Structure formats: C-alpha cells, structure tokens
Amino acid sequence: MSESPGAGPAVDGAPGPMRTRVYAVRRTRRETPDVLTLELEPGVDGEIEASAPGQFNMLYAFGVGEVPISVSGDPGGSGRLVHTIRAVGATTRALCDLRRGDPVGVRGPYGSSWPVTEAEGRDVLVVAGGIGLAPLRSAFARILARRDRYGRVSLLYGARSPRDVVFEEDLRRWRSRFDVEVEITVDHAVGPWRGHVGVVTTLLDYAPVEPDDCVAMLCGPEIMMRHVARDLGRRGVDDDRIHVSLERAMECGVGLCGHCQLGGELVCRDGPVFRWDRVEPLLGVPEL
Amino acid sequence: MRGLEQLLAEHPFFEGMRGGDLELIAGCARNARFEAGEYLFREGEPADHFFLLRSGLVSVEVHDPARGRITVLSAGAGEVLGFSWLMPPYHWVFDARAMELTRSVVFDGACLREKCEGDPRLGYDLLKRVTGVMMRRLEAASVQLLDVYGGAAAS
Amino acid sequence: MHVIDREGLDALIRHLSAEGRTVLGPTVAGGAIALGEVGSARDLPEGWTDEQEGGAYRLRRREDRALFGYAVGPRSWKAWLHPAELRLWRARRTDRGFELGPDDAPVPRYAFLGVRPCELHAIRIQERVLAGGVHADPGYRARREAAFLVAVNCGEPGGTCFCASMGTGPAADDGYDLVLTEILDPRDPGGPTRFTVLAGSARGEEALGGVPAREASPGEARAARSVVEEAASRMGRSLDAAGLPELLADRLEHPRWEETAERCLACGNCTLVCPTCFCTSVDDTTELTGDAAERWRRWDSCFATDFSHIHGGSVRGSRASRYRQWLTHKLGTWHEQFGTSGCVGCGRCITWCPVGIDLTEEVAALRRSPGPAAGPDGAARPPTSGGDP
C-alpha cells in the first residue's frame, strides 16, 4: 500500500480525556525496597473528582510515561490522593524515585469500585495478596470508619516474605483492634517471624464469616484470587458475593484504546472491580 | 473386566493389593486415551475421577495471565493423578493436560467412594496408598518452594 | 431525485472546496484505488475496476467510463477521521512542575467523495466507539461533524464483498449528506456516465442547490435502482451472522484457532485496512534536554505481541490467541461493548491478508463443529473407552 493518508504533517488533536492535571508530591513513604506510597496534592490545574475505593488514576511521570495505579488511601476530603506503586518498569520506577515537591500528572478517577455500601449489614471478608492490599486499603479503612454498619469483619493478608509486607503500620494498628480479625501469612520466612507461613487460603479457617451473608473482596495475583474464590465457593459463599480486582494492559484508561479487553468486558470501564460470577468463565479461558 | 484388572495389578500404585479387591474396584474403571494437548481435567470443574497413568506425560498446570501456562508438576507412566474425589465438594484446583499421547485408567470417584464405604478395609488400604502419594508430593512441593537453586532473580 | 453529469460533479467538488474543505476521493496510485485529494472529476479512476480475492488485488480496465466502477481500495476514511498519528498535547517544565500547552488545534474540514454504503456504516460504528461512550474523543467528534459525506452506491461488488450479509449495503440507507448512484447513458454507454443524486441532510440540500442538476426521469430512477439490486445479487462472499456472539463465546477453545494460526503471520494488515478497527497506543516522549514532553496517540493492532502486555508478559502470547481476539471481538464481543457488529462486510481483511485468511470461511468452520469432547469430567465422553489398551 503505497499511498499516504494525505493528512499532511503532524496532526494535532483535541486531547479531551487524555489531558492530564499537574499534582505535586506532598509526602512519600517507603513500604519495601521496591514499593513506595505517594501522597499527592492538587496544583493550579485543580482537583479531579473524588474517587471511590477500588478506582484508579492514570499517573504520569513527565516525559517517561503513564500507568494506571489504584487509589490506596483516603486522606478524607482534602483533595489529596494516595497511591502505592511497585517499581517494575520505566514509568513506575520513575514514580518511585519521586520526592516531595516533584510534579506528577493525574487523570481520573476511572473504573468501578468495591461494594463497600452493598456490604453493609453483612459480614465482610477482605483477602489480599502482595501489593493487592493497596487497592483494598481504602475500602478496609472506610469499613472500619463505619464499623457499626457491618457484621464480622476480617482481613487476611498473604505476602511472599516478611520483607514484602506492605502497610505494616496499618496492619499493626488493625490487628490490635478487638472488633476485627486480621491474619497475616507469608510464603516462606527467613529469620524472626512469629506469624503464619503458608498460602493465604489456609487463613480462611481463621475468618469467622457467615457464608450465607457475607461479602468477600479479593485482590492479588490472579491465580491467588481464583484459588481463594473457589475455596470460598467450597465453603458456601455464592459467586455473586465475591468481588475481585483485575489487571489488564491499559493505554488510555477511558475505554477508547481497546487494550484492556477481557472478552466483552473493558477492565478500565466495567472493572477493575468485578463480581466473580461475571468474570470467572472468562478467566478460565487461557490467553483470553 | 479381566483386561482392566490385569492393568491395575501391573501398576505400581496397586502393588500388593489383593486380587479380590482389584476385581471390585475395576468395576469403577475404564480405559481412556488423551491426545497431546487434550485436557484430563480443568481448574474449577467438578472433580470426580482418579487417574492411573499407564503411558505418556501429563502436565499439572495453572495458567497465569502474564506468564502463561505454568507447570507445577508432571506425571507419567506409573503415577496417579486426582485426589479431589476424596474431599467434597469435588472441584479440580489445577488443569491437567497431556503433553503427548497418554493412556490412562480412569476411575469414577462416586463408585470408588461407594465401594470404600461398603468395605472399610478396602477403603483403608486405598486411603493408605493415596496418602502415601500425597505425603511424598507435599514434601517435594515444600522443597520446590525453597527455590534452592537461586540464580537469576525472579521477575 | 436529481441527476447531475460530469460538469455537475466538477461543480460539486469546486463548491465543497470553496467552503474551505479538503476534498478527498478515489484516485489510481501504486496499482490500487488510493484515497487522496481530488480537484475535479478528472482525478477520479475513470474506466477502472478492481479484482479482489483472498490475498489478491489488482486493477483492471473497464469497457466503459465509470468513475466509481470498483468496490473499495485498501484504505478507508478512518485515516482522516481517526488519524494514524495524533499529537494530543505538548508540555514543558516550569518552576512549579510542568504545564500543558493550550488545547487549540484547528479542526480539519474534509469532504469525502465516494463513501461506500459499507463505509458509511463503518464511520457510524467508529463514531459510536470513539464518541458514544462515557468518555468521548472530542477530536473525533469535531472531525466527524465537519466532514461532508458524498456517498456513492455500489454497482460493482468485489470478490470479497459481503455487505449484503451484514446489512450494510450495497445501497446507502442514511448518514450521508449526498448519495450518488452512477448510471450509464443508454444512448451512449461508452460515453461519460451520469449520477442520480439524493440529499440526506440540510447541508447536502444546500450543496445540491449550488450545482447544475435536473429532475431524474423515471427511466433514470429505475436505472439507479437496478444498479443496486443487481449488485446485491453479485456479492463475492456471504456470512451467516445470526447468533454470532453466542456462537463465538462457545467456541473459544475450538481447535480451529490453532489451525488458522499456522497460516496467520500476525502482520496486522487486516487491522490496518479494516474501516472499524480503532485500537491505539499512547506514546509519551521527551526531547533530549528533558524540558519538553509530548503525548502522542497512534494506531496499534491486537496482533502485536505486546498489545496485551502486563508486568511479567503478554496475556495473548500465542498467535492463535491473538487471531481469536481479533475475530471474536469484531464479530462477537463488539455487540456487547457497542451494540452492533464490528464488521461491515467490505472484504478488505480477506483481500489484504497475505495468506488469504477469510473470516467468512472461519465462521463457517466454527459453525460446523462444536469442538473436541472434554475430558472425563466434561459434559462429553472421553475419546475412547472400553478395552483399547
């Protein structure tokens, strides 16, 4: 095909939802050698809309790139944003190198959120694996902030090893409460570790949930979520009471680029939080 | 079926089992073959079979969106697969796929359970055999987990 | 219904150009019908037709002087409405961080001459995808709004065409400003052709008012109708589209995907020529000093190995999974996402596939059999049972 599109030299377009707002880093906290939590505050471009737990923003490192990162905290109506990032590529490494005062581009919030309201009046089970605790952290905090609206509340967290545990301070605080069950396990432990060792599904025995009347929220590696969901199913929890957060390739985050498809679902728009009964058949097809 | 009984008697898993017992459980069994690439069972599906592998190679695996199919265990001639039929509710936890043409004797789980309930002595014998395999697998899996070889950092 | 002749067509092109529009239409270039700027009817491919088959395309001379006597060329109007490369914004470092440049890109104004009915549907489909959701592409909306569409009904369906199966042609239903049907002069079939014209919008009426035209005679109206009727019966291909979303959802692990993947090169030609394929990637770049950055958007293809890349690897690593994604999206899950099929039956993917993979054939193969029996625990019985050792 030898013709040119005939559209001439560089075409500029109206960016619309692809335009980013400049925020600044207010605070950072290193969780582990490769995980950083950033607190961002709005700049002259103003604030984005308030986000709900489970949603994500597209974070832009100037000149490097942009990545979808789940909201991981809720500084409570101050317009600030909290995100926890693991350095795995060029853009996330650039974001993890940021210091107080550095600029970050933000677009969002996008996607679906955890059923925090739907869970009211029921037992709540939160199961997180590795960095998967980040998207669940703000949901859990919100549940604890309105503790009396829920039945029994449990958090089960699995990490690779003791040094990979994130949000240690929060976990300590939550574990010291008398009205929530918090259990932590690691895959293997070298050195002093008095907690459980084993996969996170083994902790389900410690979670006092009523299978008929609970809502489960899972986040972590997909294999882990599948196993936990099936284990919950074996214990009598219905598929429509289990919610997972999925991850797929994203470029635009707003349903226009086609990358995040999983069957007929667009993870950026119909997810990332999905009800298990909707995605279970899709996740069962390899390479879908 | 005489033919099947013979196959069972020859398989290492049933070494030493009484002829009468073999005849009894052979009634729960049939032959099957799996072409390369065919699944013996799939994660999440109802699980009520026990596989006695006679020849070939099976990959017990899990699929990960980014890393693709990951084999956690391989099993070949002389080995067995499938213990989910022992513990209700019965669902497979992994996929099992034939890597090459595989011949297997397949037992119906419900039938086996019935025979065991009816004859606890047979049940205990079968359970001892199964537990032996499970224990060896568990020990091996724990050592596998230690990642003793080290080497290139896992991504 | 009106009729215009060559002078009328020239006048129309001049009128649209005088409105400040870039007029684009079919031309002959590089051995194909290529879309490019046209100044008059003389730039159009008079007396040319195309021969299309799976993996094959060539131009051939006609016996008459039809201007639109071909089916479709390789490219489509999406190159202008949804450009292959687009700079979304520029930014520069400031002492407060960085600042984005103003959002003031001018909107190009086009006139598309020779939009096939299948292409009208394709434009409508892309409009739904890019401007019909919660987050819309304002650039697409503006370019679409500003584009004047002169549709031309099909008289010469191609060897790979199946618009009739998809309900998208060979006649245009709506979505055009003007629609033309090319007819021969019965007293001079070897002479210049003329066109019946219908307006489909207020601005179409207005443009028609500015060119020399006369009322169509009953004979001419009949001739226009029969051009289209005849074309409908000469489609090169057909596709049974009934129940495709359910069928495809049920065939995701069918062995056909692996078989076709053996032939597929994952070259992405199909996604390039398809008038509805819309996938893009975002490129954030910086210049050497690091003080200025740009965000670009460019076409991408689901056949690219890194299209589905997440940390650790690509979800669709195998060619089979990528071919499956393209076909099941185009004909199946597109319905769930956007309410229509993604395919308009133009046949380009068949013609321009280097190995001639034909999605009408693929669908037929998938319909023929449900796939292999599952293992002992699946619904079907195992392949062999009994005493076969």
Side-chain angles (χ1 to χ4, degrees), chain B residues 1 7 30-35 38-42 45-49 51 54 64-69 92 103 106 155, chain C residues 253 258 308-317 372-389:
Chain B
M1 273 197 258
L7 294 175
R30 57 176 158 68
N31 258 309
R33 66 182 263 159
F34 301 93
E35 304 296 335
E38 270 189 76
Y39 283 97
L40 280 74
F41 51 82
R42 300 294 296 268
E45 284 179 354
D48 220 4
H49 292 88
F51 297 83
R54 296 175 45 219
D64 178 71
R67 291 180 290 163
R69 290 192 178 99
W92 295 116
R103 290 191 167 83
V106 184
S155 60
Chain C
E253 300 196 75
E258 295 282 343
S308 57
H309 192 270
I310 52 178
H311 167 59
S314 291
V315 176
R316 293 175 216 122
D377 285 318
R381 289 185 302 282
T384 60
S385 56
D388 174 355

Side-chain angles (χ1 to χ4, degrees), chain C residues 28-373:
Chain C
V28 176
I33 300 295
L35 296 175
E37 284 192 48
V38 297
S40 75
R42 276 190 310 280
D43 295 328
L44 302 174
E46 182 182 76
W48 286 102
T49 187
D50 50 16
E51 284 179 352
Q52 301 196 36
E53 246 313 317
Y57 178 102
R58 87 173 76 186
L59 292 184
R60 189 171 51 78
R61 272 241 156 259
R62 296 175 64 92
E63 313 234 306
D64 57 32
R65 292 177 58 187
L67 294 178
F68 299 96
Y70 59 91
V72 283
R75 299 296 274 271
S76 64
W77 309 99
K78 79 171 178 180
W80 288 271
L81 293 177
H82 183 51
E85 284 184 339
L86 195 71
R87 178 166 46 211
L88 293 169
W89 46 256
R90 281 190 252 221
R92 53 182 186 86
R93 279 200 197 277
T94 64
D95 49 14
R96 276 179 312 185
F98 62 88
E99 192 180 281
L100 264 59
D103 179 5
D104 58 2
V107 178
R109 299 179 72 232
Y110 298 118
F112 296 158
L113 173 62
V115 183
R116 293 300 188 192
C118 60
E119 296 181 304
L120 283 175
H121 279 267
I123 289 170
R124 204 177 314 158
I125 287 170
Q126 267 204 348
E127 193 173 349
R128 167 72 185 84
V129 173
L130 299 172
V134 173
H135 301 281
D137 174 358
Y140 182 89
R141 255 207 193 118
R143 284 186 293 271
R144 171 66 193 93
E145 246 306 297
F148 188 103
L149 305 188
V150 181
V152 175
N153 283 330
C154 264
E156 197 70 64
T160 55
C161 285
F162 56 101
C163 64
S165 298
M166 304 309 291
T168 60
D173 45 16
D174 68 35
Y176 51 81
D177 293 296
L178 292 171
V179 62
L180 276 45
T181 307
E182 191 164 27
I183 54 177
L184 300 177
D185 179 346
R187 293 160 307 172
D188 180 18
T193 53
R194 54 184 70 147
F195 304 88
T196 61
V197 197
L198 273 174
S201 70
R203 65 185 179 188
E205 294 277 5
E206 197 252 315
L208 190 53
V211 306
R214 58 170 171 75
E215 277 287 324
S217 70
E220 284 166 332
R222 243 193 329 270
R225 269 197 309 276
S226 71
V227 159
V228 169
E229 272 158 21
E230 224 228 314
S233 67
R234 285 194 289 128
M235 292 285 140
R237 295 283 200 279
S238 72
L239 176 74
D240 179 5
L244 268 181
E246 295 74 29
L247 179 89
L248 292 173
D250 205 44
R251 302 284 196 267
L252 294 174
E253 300 196 75
H254 197 282
R256 182 73 184 193
W257 304 116
E258 295 282 343
E259 286 161 27
T260 302
E262 293 287 300
R263 302 162 56 204
C264 174
L265 307 174
C267 68
N269 261 14
C270 48
T271 57
L272 203 57
V273 297
C274 175
T276 64
C277 272
F278 63 89
C279 288
T280 52
S281 278
V282 177
D283 260 342
D284 283 310
T285 61
T286 184
E287 43 120 65
L288 274 174
T289 63
D291 287 334
E294 295 185 342
R295 172 167 294 173
W296 284 78
R297 190 190 73 190
R298 57 176 169 74
W299 286 356
D300 201 348
S301 171
C302 55
F303 282 94
T305 46
D306 64 352
F307 185 83
S308 57
H309 192 270
I310 52 178
H311 167 59
S314 291
V315 176
R316 293 175 216 122
S318 70
R319 262 199 325 255
S321 65
R322 284 176 270 139
Y323 186 79
R324 176 182 67 189
Q325 166 61 24
W326 181 73
L327 193 144
T328 58
H329 184 213
K330 190 68 58 187
L331 296 174
T333 55
W334 201 292
H335 286 267
E336 193 183 326
Q337 294 171 6
F338 306 114
T340 66
S341 177
C343 177
V344 296
C346 70
R348 285 182 177 90
C349 57
I350 304 170
T351 297
W352 294 98
C353 172
V355 297
I357 293 173
D358 181 342
L359 86 176
T360 64
E361 219 172 83
E362 297 307 301
V363 168
L366 291 167
R367 275 194 194 281
R368 270 195 297 271
S369 69

Side-chain angles (χ1 to χ4, degrees), chain C residues 4-25:
Chain C
I4 59 173
D5 56 14
R6 294 295 169 94
E7 281 73 50
L9 191 58
D10 278 338
L12 177 62
I13 294 171
R14 276 195 310 270
H15 175 93
L16 293 169
S17 186
E19 282 184 338
R21 297 177 185 285
T22 303
V23 183
L24 298 159

Side-chain angles (χ1 to χ4, degrees), chain B residues 4 42 48 75 93 101 103 137:
Chain B
L4 267 180
R42 300 294 296 268
D48 220 4
V93 176
L101 173 64
R103 290 191 167 83
R137 291 243 176 104

